[in-house]
C-alpha cells in the first residue's frame, strides 16, 4: 500500500469514527476525472502541491470548485527551502543556501523525485491567474510542547521561522 492509499484508508476510518459521510477522491491532481464545478471544498496536504507541477495542478484545481468553493493546501515554507542543505537528513540552517529566484523545481541528490517550491509572489500570481482569491496564508509555528521526528528541520528552527505554510483560497464568484 503506498502512502496515498494509507492516507485514504486513515481518512475513511476517521469518517466512520466521527459519523461523517462525504466522498473522498484520490487521483492525479493534474488531470482529475470530475466535471467542472464539482466540489465545494478540496484539500491537499503536500501531495499535489509538492510533487506535481503547480503550473499544471493549480489550473486543474481551479476548474473543480464551484464559484465560492475553497481550496486549502499545505506546503513547505519558501524560507525553509532557501535554508535547506542538499544533504539528506541534515536540518535547515540559519543561512540562505540557494537563490530565491528560479527555485521552483528542486531535485535532491540521490532522489529520483522532483519537488516544486514557489516563492510567495509566484504563488500569488499563479493562484490569481487561475481564478482564486487568497483568503489567508498561515505560517505554521509549533506549540511549545511540540515534538518532531523529522530530520530536515529542528524545533528550534521552526520556532523562529515558518517551516510549513497553509494557503487558503476561494474560487472567484
Amino acid at each position: 500500500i503506498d502512502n496515498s492509499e494509507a492516507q485514504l484508508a486513515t481518512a475513511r476510518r476517521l469518517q466512520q469514527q466521527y459519523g461523517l459521510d462525504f466522498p473522498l477522491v484520490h487521483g492525479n491532481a493534474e488531470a482529475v476525472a470530475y466535471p467542472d464545478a464539482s466540489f465545494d471544498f478540496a484539500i491537499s496536504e503536500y501531495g499535489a502541491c509538492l510533487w506535481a507541477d503547480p503550473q499544471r495542478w493549480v489550473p486543474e484545481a481551479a476548474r473543480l470548485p464551484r464559484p465560492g468553493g475553497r481550496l486549502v493546501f499545505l506546503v513547505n515554507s519558501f524560507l525553509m527551502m532557501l535554508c535547506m542543505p542538499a544533504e539528506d537528513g541534515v536540518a535547515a540552517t540559519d543561512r540562505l543556501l540557494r537563490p530565491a529566484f528560479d527555485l521552483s523545481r528542486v531535485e535532491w541528490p540521490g532522489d529520483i523525485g522532483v519537488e516544486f517550491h514557489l516563492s510567495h509572489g509566484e504563488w500569488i500570481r499563479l493562484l490569481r491567474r487561475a481564478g482564486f482569491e487568497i483568503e489567508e496564508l498561515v505560517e505554521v509555528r509549533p506549540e511549545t510542547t511540540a515534538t518532531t521526528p523529522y530530520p530536515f528541520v529542528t524545533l528550534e528552527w521552526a520556532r523562529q521561522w515558518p517551516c510549513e505554510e497553509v494557503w487558503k483560497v476561494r474560487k472567484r464568484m
Side-chain angles (χ1 to χ4, degrees):
I1 202 168
D2 73 15
N3 191 36
S4 56
E5 290 297 324
Q7 288 174 345
L8 197 56
T10 298
R12 287 189 176 120
R13 280 193 301 279
L14 287 170
Q15 281 184 312
Q16 258 185 336
Q17 180 181 344
Y18 292 99
L20 300 171
D21 184 30
F22 55 86
L24 297 169
V25 178
H26 173 244
N28 179 349
E30 295 177 1
V32 179
Y34 280 82
D36 294 0
S38 295
F39 297 94
D40 293 314
F41 179 76
I43 187 168
S44 177
E45 183 204 8
Y46 289 104
C49 49
L50 182 60
W51 293 291
D53 184 343
Q55 304 302 326
R56 294 180 64 186
W57 80 260
V58 169
E60 182 68 357
R63 181 183 71 74
L64 296 170
R66 294 176 182 96
R70 296 182 65 216
L71 168 66
V72 175
F73 61 96
L74 178 70
V75 295
N76 295 120
S77 80
F78 183 65
L79 179 60
M80 186 178 78
M81 296 315 301
L82 298 177
C83 298
M84 185 67 64
E87 299 82 21
D88 192 30
V90 178
T93 74
D94 63 354
R95 304 274 188 258
L96 298 175
L97 301 177
R98 55 179 49 92
F101 298 111
D102 302 319
L103 175 67
S104 64
R105 184 182 171 100
V106 177
E107 296 181 49
W108 300 101
D111 189 341
I112 62 169
V114 175
E115 295 179 11
F116 295 88
H117 300 280
L118 302 182
S119 69
H120 292 151
E122 290 172 306
W123 275 121
I124 290 166
R125 284 186 293 280
L126 178 57
L127 291 165
R128 290 172 116 185
R129 224 177 20 251
F132 286 113
E133 296 174 355
I134 299 165
E135 292 188 324
E136 187 175 12
L137 169 60
V138 178
E139 297 169 310
V140 178
R141 185 178 195 179
E143 298 289 331
T144 56
T145 58
T147 60
T148 181
Y150 302 111
F152 59 87
V153 65
T154 65
L155 282 173
E156 179 185 1
W157 195 97
R159 288 188 177 118
Q160 296 179 69
W161 304 288
C163 64
E164 295 177 310
E165 300 169 345
V166 180
W167 289 82
K168 299 178 181 182
V169 300
R170 184 175 300 277
K171 180 77 176 266
R172 282 195 287 265
M173 297 295 268

